[in-house]
Amino acid sequence: MQPYRRNRPASPWRGVLITLAAIVFGVAGTVGALVASGQLDLPFLTKDEGLRIALPANARPIEAYSPVRREDFIHPETGQLHALRLRPEQVVGLGLMGTGPGSEEISGRVERVLDDGGRPVFVLGDGAQVPLDRARTLGGAFLHVTDIIGRVVGKDKAPNYGFKEDGLLPPGTRPGIAGGTPPGMRALTLEADLLSGAAELQAGDRVDLIANVPVAQLVALEQSASRLPGAALVASSSRGRQSDQTEARAVALDALVVVPVKTRQKPTTTSSLTQGRRVQTVPVQEIVIAVHADDVPAVNEALGLGVKISCVAHSGRVDDSEATPGIVRVPVAGRPVVVYSELAPGDLIDPRTGRSRTIALPESLAQAGGIIRDPAEVVGRVVARDLAAGEYVTADDLLPPGTVPGLTGGVPPGMRMVTLDGSRLAGAASLQLRERFDIIATLPLSLADLTTSRRGGSRLLSAPVSLAAGQRQADQRVIVRDGVVVAPLDSPAIPAEPGASRRSDEASGPRIAIAVAPEQVPLLTEAFALGVQLTVVARGASGADWTAADLPPDRSLLGGMQSMEVMIGSKRETWLFLPGGGGGGGASPESPANGALPESAVRVTGN
């Protein structure tokens, strides 16, 4: 059995010593960390570092488009201005900008640094000496906080970095999103889920916004004349069932990401019978994009239609590509262009991308074909034919400079244009643009075969006519020789006839615009007024004369017929005198005596 031992009480100094040791080790570790990081100088512990050049640096993060304040330079632990301390050999070769003794601008590269009693003096390559107080920037970084405070940063800035001019917005810029919006552009705050591909974008990225628009809603889009061919996205209310097909249209070009996707707490209000009205927040992801002022309506209309919008990012690399030797890019039509239209800048823009449309061609082919390479030589000129989307333009496709747009631009000099009902011209459907032709009128000698004329409310009466034995029943006359097709049947270049949709008593057929000699205009209009049969004879591409030289044009469509107006009371009547009437004798145009008319006379009632 072991003897009983009484435990000694613990010494009170033991706990005190342990506590003091912990404090000493903690203080030593903290001081060591501050000294190692350069945030604390202890001359009695460290040797003199020598001359140092201090570059102001922010001690805490600064958000994009925020102003720089003095508090951003105060270190939270030391309470001193935070700066990057550089040795003299580290700044040799850097560019320096400052002012001379006479306030003149001085710039150059640092050759060496002198120590003027602890104050750096920079010696430039030309021998000029610039003290620190007169130096402004070193290697592009500002040397004095007075040049930085109040400026707005252009992007998020991490701590422990100097300030350069390219990282700051121009002096006088207002802080906030408005300061990050370039001049001429407008900033839009959009929900990120409305833009496909927005989550991967960073501040400063350039993007295009492409909308997938239903085909049924492209009517106003194709007719828009703003900066973008797809600037108007208004759905037509007259359309019925909409198609499921969509087409891509650019609604914004060269847009800038001002603020990338960020989560914001959006307050919402809910109501219930048990808990009443409550206000709570829900997270919402938003992105701020700056677009050109002309593109704002297009983006808003696309969002209003609820169509899908995709973000197409531009390349962030420096474009160092070179053109391929022997290959040139020529402008092409971005959309169909109607003949005799004046080419506008929008006609050379692809409506799907909103950019100028070009194609690459061998230089020899472009030169041999007379293909126009400069868009400035095309814009403002009148086209001589219909251009399809994707077609390039040659010199032959354009009318002479100064030509007025419209059908009159296609009328050759010295000729006159007439727009007619093409259904009354046999063979008119085969005529193409600028083809040459003749028109033959088939005139029946028996007035019973003449069509009815409704001009002015008059009607040609049918009456028997005695013909000599062996006389022809019809006569052919050339009323138009060497005419030119200005616009073929139903060409979109022919404007709609005013009031045509309101007429119900006449059926308007397809129209054709032709150019004829001035002396042939009365014959042509007379033939249409009498309703005789008209036949078109094409001359071909060469426009050579044809063999019917024995049918010269007459001064009058009715040939030997002569007319006379007779007044009976208040009623006016028109009489035609046919050649060979009365047994083959010649007709006398003289006025009949005592109202007796020869047998060759046929009456046409009038008003």
Side-chain angles (χ1 to χ4, degrees):
M1 184 175 181
Q2 294 182 355
Y4 171 76
R5 293 182 180 180
R6 186 175 62 178
N7 294 332
R8 295 182 181 180
S11 175
W13 296 102
R14 183 178 179 180
V16 174
L17 292 176
I18 294 175
T19 303
L20 290 176
I23 293 174
V24 170
F25 281 112
V27 171
T30 303
V31 173
L34 293 176
V35 172
S37 62
Q39 300 177 5
L40 180 63
D41 293 334
L42 297 178
F44 60 90
L45 292 180
T46 60
K47 60 182 180 180
D48 188 10
E49 294 182 351
L51 187 64
R52 292 290 186 269
I53 297 96
L55 289 178
N58 55 313
R60 61 183 183 181
I62 305 176
E63 292 186 357
Y65 315 121
S66 299
V68 181
R69 299 179 175 85
R70 182 177 178 83
E71 293 78 9
D72 297 326
F73 295 97
I74 303 300
H75 198 281
E77 296 181 0
T78 64
Q80 302 295 323
L81 289 176
H82 187 51
L84 303 176
R85 302 175 64 85
L86 304 178
R87 297 188 301 273
E89 59 269 19
Q90 291 178 307
V91 303
V92 173
L94 298 180
L96 182 138
M97 295 185 61
T99 56
S103 299
E104 68 277 8
E105 293 287 339
I106 296 179
S107 62
R109 293 193 175 277
V110 178
E111 292 290 335
R112 64 182 185 274
V113 181
L114 302 179
D115 187 354
D116 184 14
R119 186 181 63 171
V121 177
F122 302 98
V123 180
L124 304 183
D126 57 358
Q129 297 185 4
V130 183
L132 179 62
D133 56 353
R134 286 196 283 110
R136 186 168 181 264
T137 63
L138 179 62
F142 289 101
L143 289 169
H144 306 286
V145 294
T146 54
D147 295 330
I148 307 172
I149 294 176
R151 298 286 298 274
V152 178
V153 296
K155 58 182 179 180
D156 292 339
K157 187 171 182 58
N160 299 322
Y161 285 95
F163 289 81
K164 292 186 176 182
E165 184 66 36
D166 57 2
L168 302 173
L169 298 180
T173 301
R174 297 184 57 183
I177 295 176
T181 304
M185 303 185 75
R186 305 292 185 267
L188 299 175
T189 302
L190 308 174
E191 294 187 7
D193 57 355
L194 299 178
L195 303 179
S196 177
E200 293 78 14
L201 299 176
Q202 302 295 327
D205 288 348
R206 292 280 180 175
V207 297
D208 296 335
L209 300 182
I210 309 298
N212 292 328
V213 185
V215 175
Q217 299 174 347
L218 290 176
V219 177
L221 181 145
E222 298 294 347
Q223 299 176 352
S224 175
S226 64
R227 176 176 176 268
L228 293 177
L233 301 176
V234 182
S236 175
S237 59
S238 61
R239 292 182 178 266
R241 182 179 179 182
Q242 298 182 356
S243 174
D244 295 335
Q245 297 181 352
T246 61
E247 289 192 13
R249 289 295 184 270
V251 296
L253 297 178
D254 200 25
L256 175 69
V257 179
V258 180
V259 180
V261 176
K262 290 188 175 181
T263 302
R264 179 178 66 90
Q265 298 298 326
K266 179 181 178 180
T268 59
T269 303
T270 60
S271 299
S272 64
L273 295 176
T274 58
Q275 299 180 353
R277 184 176 182 180
R278 299 179 56 189
V279 178
Q280 58 184 5
T281 59
V282 294
V284 177
Q285 288 187 325
E286 294 179 338
I287 184 174
V288 180
I289 295 182
V291 301
H292 293 276
D294 296 335
D295 298 341
V296 174
V299 176
N300 286 332
E301 289 169 359
L303 294 173
L305 292 175
V307 298
K308 182 180 180 181
I309 301 179
S310 301
C311 296
V312 182
H314 295 194
S315 174
R317 298 183 181 181
V318 178
D319 186 9
D320 56 355
S321 60
E322 298 181 358
T324 304
I327 300 297
V328 295
R329 302 200 68 87
V330 298
V332 297
R335 56 189 176 188
V337 182
V338 180
V339 62
Y340 309 128
S341 298
E342 184 177 358
L343 279 170
D347 295 327
L348 304 179
I349 295 178
D350 192 336
R352 291 174 173 81
T353 62
R355 298 187 176 276
S356 298
R357 188 172 181 180
T358 60
I359 59 174
L361 294 176
E363 186 174 4
S364 58
L365 176 61
Q367 185 174 2
I371 301 174
I372 299 178
R373 310 181 192 181
D374 187 3
E377 299 180 6
V378 177
V379 175
R381 297 285 297 275
V382 178
V383 295
R385 66 177 181 89
D386 293 333
L387 292 179
E391 279 192 280
Y392 52 74
V393 184
T394 66
D396 295 336
D397 296 332
L398 302 175
L399 295 177
T403 302
V404 179
L407 288 177
T408 56
V411 179
M415 303 187 74
R416 303 292 185 266
M417 185 186 71
V418 182
T419 304
L420 304 171
D421 184 355
S423 62
R424 299 176 61 181
L425 289 175
S430 62
L431 295 178
Q432 301 299 322
L433 182 68
R434 289 199 296 274
E435 283 189 344
R436 293 186 175 272
F437 61 91
D438 298 329
I439 297 181
I440 299 177
T442 302
L443 180 66
L445 296 181
S446 173
L447 294 182
D449 296 333
L450 288 176
T451 58
T452 301
S453 174
R454 303 182 184 274
R455 297 279 180 168
S458 63
R459 186 175 67 87
L460 188 65
L461 290 181
S462 60
V465 178
S466 60
L467 300 175
Q471 188 174 0
R472 292 182 301 173
Q473 299 293 320
D475 193 11
Q476 291 81 31
R477 301 181 185 276
V478 180
I479 62 175
V480 171
R481 186 183 296 276
D482 202 21
V484 179
V485 178
V486 178
L489 287 178
D490 276 346
S491 171
I494 302 177
E497 188 175 357
S501 61
R502 297 190 297 268
R503 294 196 305 266
S504 58
D505 56 338
E506 294 187 27
S508 179
R511 298 195 298 163
I512 184 174
I514 60 176
V516 299
E519 61 272 12
Q520 297 172 356
V521 174
L523 296 175
L524 186 60
T525 56
E526 186 180 7
F528 265 81
L530 293 175
V532 299
Q533 180 180 352
L534 300 177
T535 304
V536 174
V537 179
R539 283 178 171 264
S542 61
D545 202 356
W546 63 303
T547 58
D550 56 336
L551 298 176
D554 265 309
R555 297 181 59 185
S556 173
L557 177 66
L558 299 179
M561 296 184 188
Q562 297 187 21
S563 62
M564 181 182 69
E565 290 187 353
V566 178
M567 297 294 297
I568 302 177
S570 60
K571 187 176 182 180
R572 182 180 62 184
E573 295 181 347
T574 301
W575 292 81
L576 296 179
F577 296 89
L578 303 181
S588 174
E590 298 178 357
S591 300
N594 300 325
L597 295 175
E599 295 181 358
S600 60
V602 179
R603 183 179 62 184
V604 180
T605 61
N607 296 330

